[in-house]
């Protein structure tokens, strides 16, 4: 079958793709710098005979796991894949070739691979006589792989800013106390977010106030994210800090000219900005380490620096049914001085988490002005 003669996906294929999307999500936080991918194999009669997902960077891809599970039943069957099968040899072989060798007759994938080193799998499959169809549940697949897709496009990690606040926007009381504004259910949900990200970032203010641990707890099998402290003057992370234990790797980002004694931890020196460290330089350093998704848990100053740098892709706010009346706000120093400069967000989800309300939103993409009529 050629591209100009497509066959619409069947209901069974759509169900199989939904299953593949659910499988792909199991790899969140464990596959970087690779994407999360799920695959389901249907035999010639439309029955599921194999499934798999990309579990770890450097390990077999989703298609390989699914083909191994299907065995000879894959011959003449259909592969449903959340991302276009890769076409290059890295630490593993090309998945397009594996599908061809297994005798797969049809491949349906959700999203084309934007990575220039891996794309071309669909063409390879078609040239081998395999029927190929794309775009099934594309929107859902893009949402599930948004961190990796964004990082490929932008060349930096995808950043989620998470915060917890009262209904009147306070993240702590006037005396600085903040434990606990949000509920146990919300705090457990934050551990899920950590488990799905490659790095968790806080600033010196959070270090001094909370001595955070930042490791994932309560999620079996989670790959621990890199714990990152933005400590410009190299003065906030003290010996014995909880972040220096061996629960997860730790990186301390300091200014190039910082002279204070540093604890026994990995350190990266970065250029200064007008306030603190240069955020793009920090993200470049993390990207070079294979980090493709960042959970920003810092306080209002660091969040403001990220927003001012245009480096926040998603905002997740946990709003607790609590009023304080005074205390620090969730955000400061974002470079916004007038209402016309306000950063408008598009809300994608609202959910009850215990007694709290979780709001997920993304900065609104500005639309180009309509051309003037001549």
């Amino acid at each position: 079958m050629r591209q100009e003669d497509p066959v619409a996906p069947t209901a069974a294929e759509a169900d199989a793709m939904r299953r593949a999307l659910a499988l792909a999500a199991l790899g969140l936080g464990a596959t970087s710098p690779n994407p999360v991918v799920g695959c389901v194999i249907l035999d010639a009669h439309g029955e599921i005979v194999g499934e798999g997902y990309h579990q770890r960077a450097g390990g077999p891809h989703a298609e390989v796991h699914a083909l191994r599970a299907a065995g000879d039943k894959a011959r003449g069957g259909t592969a449903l894949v959340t991302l276009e099968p890769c076409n290059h040899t890295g630490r593993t072989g090309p998945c397009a070739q594996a599908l061809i060798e297994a005798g797969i007759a049809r491949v349906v994938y959700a999203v084309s691979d934007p990575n220039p080193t891996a794309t071309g799998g669909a063409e390879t499959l078609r040239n081998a006589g395999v029927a190929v169809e794309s775009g099934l549940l594309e929107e859902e697949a893009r949402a599930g792989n948004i961190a990796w897709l964004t990082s490929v496009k932008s060349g930096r990690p995808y950043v989620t800013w998470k915060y917890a606040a009262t209904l009147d926007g306070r993240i702590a009381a006037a005396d600085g106390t903040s434990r606990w504004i949000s509920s146990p259910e919300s705090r457990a949900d934050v551990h899920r977010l950590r488990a799905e990200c490659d790095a968790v970032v806080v600033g010196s203010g959070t270090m001094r106030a909370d001595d955070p641990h930042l490791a994932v707890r309560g999620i079996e099998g989670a790959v621990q994210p890199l714990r990152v402290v933005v400590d410009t003057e190299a003065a906030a992370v003290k010996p014995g800090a909880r972040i220096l234990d061996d629960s997860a790797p730790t990186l301390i980002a300091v200014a190039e000219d910082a002279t204070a004694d540093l604890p026994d931890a990995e350190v990266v020196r970065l250029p200064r900005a007008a306030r603190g460290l240069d955020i793009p330089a920090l993200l470049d350093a993390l990207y070079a380490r294979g980090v493709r998704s960042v959970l920003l848990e810092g306080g209002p100053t660091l969040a403001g620096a990220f927003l001012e740098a245009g480096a926040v892709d998603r905002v997740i706010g946990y709003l607790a049914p609590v009023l304080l009346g005074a205390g620090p706000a969730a955000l400061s120093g974002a470079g916004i001085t007038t209402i016309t400069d306000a950063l408008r967000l598009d809300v994608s989800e609202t959910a009850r988490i215990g007694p709290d309300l979780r709001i997920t939103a993304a900065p609104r993409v500005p639309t180009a002005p309509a051309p003037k009529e001549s």
Side-chain angles (χ1 to χ4, degrees):
M1 179 181 299
R2 297 300 177 186
Q3 189 173 9
E4 62 267 24
D5 186 27
V7 173
T10 66
E13 289 173 348
D15 288 342
M17 184 65 83
R18 292 187 185 93
R19 173 59 181 163
L21 290 169
L23 288 167
L26 298 176
L28 285 169
T31 64
S32 287
N34 298 338
V36 293
V37 183
C39 178
V40 171
I41 305 293
L42 304 180
D43 66 13
H45 306 290
E47 299 295 323
I48 294 178
V49 292
E51 57 182 35
Y53 68 98
H54 187 34
Q55 300 173 12
R56 294 287 188 276
H61 289 187
E63 296 93 325
V64 173
H65 282 298
L67 290 171
R68 288 175 178 172
D72 290 339
K73 294 179 181 178
R75 190 162 298 279
T78 298
L80 287 299
V81 196
T82 58
L83 185 69
E84 178 184 359
C86 68
N87 197 44
H88 79 296
T89 300
R91 286 184 284 182
T92 61
C95 291
Q97 189 61 39
L99 291 164
I100 293 167
E101 292 174 357
I104 288 289
R106 174 171 162 84
V107 172
V108 180
Y109 66 88
V111 178
S112 297
D113 194 332
N115 187 345
T117 64
T119 191
E123 183 178 2
T124 296
L125 289 163
R126 290 190 180 99
N127 289 341
V130 178
V132 179
E133 182 68 19
S134 65
L136 178 60
L137 302 184
E138 180 177 4
E139 184 175 347
E140 295 91 331
R142 285 190 177 279
N145 230 344
I146 188 63
W148 182 80
L149 290 169
T150 300
S151 72
V152 170
K153 179 180 178 180
S154 65
R156 66 158 175 82
Y158 178 89
V159 177
T160 297
W161 171 40
K162 159 263 160 188
Y163 70 94
T166 63
L167 281 184
D168 54 345
R170 310 295 178 177
I171 60 168
D175 65 356
T177 54
S178 60
R179 294 186 178 181
W180 293 105
I181 284 176
S182 61
S183 65
E185 293 89 343
S186 288
R187 299 197 294 276
D189 195 58
V190 170
H191 281 280
R192 175 189 61 81
L193 292 179
R194 289 179 182 175
E196 293 178 353
C197 288
D198 301 328
V200 180
V201 178
V202 298
S204 56
T206 299
M207 277 301 305
R208 292 189 181 97
D210 298 336
D211 185 24
H213 190 232
L214 302 183
V216 176
R217 297 188 299 276
I219 299 180
E220 185 177 353
V223 175
Q224 291 292 345
L226 175 69
R227 301 178 292 187
V228 182
V229 181
V230 180
D231 187 7
T232 305
E233 306 300 337
V237 183
K238 303 293 186 182
R242 298 172 68 212
I243 203 168
L244 297 177
D245 70 9
D246 59 2
S247 298
T250 299
L251 178 69
I252 304 174
V254 304
E256 290 173 326
D257 57 353
T259 58
D261 291 336
L262 291 164
D264 185 16
E266 185 177 359
V267 173
V268 59
R269 292 185 175 273
L270 300 172
R272 291 180 182 268
R275 293 188 305 272
L277 294 182
D278 184 90
I279 299 303
L282 171 65
L283 293 174
D284 285 347
L286 294 177
Y287 189 89
R289 293 176 58 102
V291 170
R292 297 296 180 266
S293 56
V294 165
L295 182 63
L296 175 61
E297 293 196 37
T301 301
L302 188 60
F306 268 76
L307 282 165
E308 189 170 13
V312 172
D313 302 291
R314 180 174 63 164
V315 179
I316 298 180
Y318 297 85
L319 299 183
V322 176
L323 299 174
L324 283 174
L331 180 64
S332 67
I336 300 169
T337 58
T338 179
I339 192 66
T340 58
D341 294 335
L343 181 62
R344 305 289 177 175
L345 307 176
D346 288 323
V347 175
S348 59
E349 182 191 45
T350 59
R352 284 288 299 270
I353 306 293
D356 304 331
L357 177 65
R358 185 187 68 201
I359 299 177
T360 303
R364 187 172 298 170
V365 178
T367 56
K372 294 182 179 180
E373 295 183 3
S374 56

